[in-house]
Amino acid sequence: MFKSEAEVNMIRKMYPEGTKIVLDYMDDFQAPPSGTKGVVTSVDGIGQIHVKWENGCGLALNTDVDKFHII
């Protein structure tokens, strides 16, 4: 589902660059394990949150299906 510009801007405000997060669940077979920590690097134009994961994984978070929390 595509997000409006207002929704993307809201995600950018909620998760600015440098925000520390922990993954609870990611809907992808290549996902880092639950509990993996990371730092937000950016939010793209469709609202995906790009993260530098501590294990080197580069998968972005989809706020519609993935679960995570700020630490």
Side-chain angles (χ1 to χ4, degrees):
M1 183 170 149
F2 288 100
K3 292 177 175 40
S4 69
E5 185 175 343
E7 290 172 310
V8 171
N9 287 334
M10 183 179 69
I11 293 169
R12 285 183 175 134
K13 287 180 184 176
M14 291 174 62
Y15 305 103
E17 182 179 350
T19 302
K20 295 178 183 179
I21 60 170
V22 175
L23 181 65
D24 298 321
Y25 168 80
M26 184 183 280
D27 188 25
D28 191 300
F29 73 95
Q30 295 178 320
S34 295
T36 302
K37 296 175 184 175
V39 177
V40 174
T41 58
S42 66
V43 175
D44 65 24
I46 60 172
Q48 291 186 3
I49 302 171
H50 294 265
V51 179
K52 182 177 180 182
W53 296 106
E54 65 184 357
N55 70 348
C57 179
L59 292 176
L61 291 165
N62 178 333
T63 58
D64 292 329
V65 294
D66 300 329
K67 305 295 180 208
F68 57 97
H69 62 275
I70 295 174
I71 53 173

